Amino acid sequence: LAGTILRSQTMSGILRASAPLARRLNAVPKGPIAQQTRGMASDPNAPPKVAYPWLDPSNPGNWKEEHLVFTILGAWGVVIMGAKSAFS
């Protein structure tokens, strides 16, 4: 495309020349590849999660996944620091 553009062409001529390329780049594929998947979306039929774990601390099933991750990482930190202080 760059070799066909001359210095004397106007901007509209350049845009007209690049239109077929733009149509090819913006083409939407058809078939099973075009089906949109939402892999990280939550289940619409699932029960609602609590915003903060201290609103319902006795039921970890209602916690969000991030709260469980932070709790598990904190527990590992306690175990590692406890083992370090016990063996040193």
Side-chain angles (χ1 to χ4, degrees):
L1 181 69
T4 61
I5 299 174
L6 302 174
R7 288 197 179 268
S8 63
Q9 283 185 324
T10 62
M11 182 57 82
S12 61
I14 294 170
L15 292 175
R16 272 194 302 270
S18 65
L21 177 63
R23 276 194 297 269
R24 217 173 327 142
L25 291 176
N26 294 332
V28 177
K30 293 175 178 59
I33 296 172
Q35 182 179 4
Q36 182 181 12
T37 59
R38 299 185 62 159
M40 300 302 285
S42 62
D43 182 14
N45 299 321
K49 301 287 185 182
V50 292
Y52 303 101
W54 56 81
L55 296 176
D56 192 9
S58 62
N59 190 1
N62 282 347
W63 293 5
K64 290 184 179 180
E65 185 178 347
E66 297 86 12
H67 299 133
L68 293 173
V69 169
F70 291 145
T71 303
I72 292 169
L73 288 175
W76 273 107
V78 168
V79 168
I80 290 170
M81 294 305 291
K84 180 182 172 186
S85 65
F87 291 115
S88 62

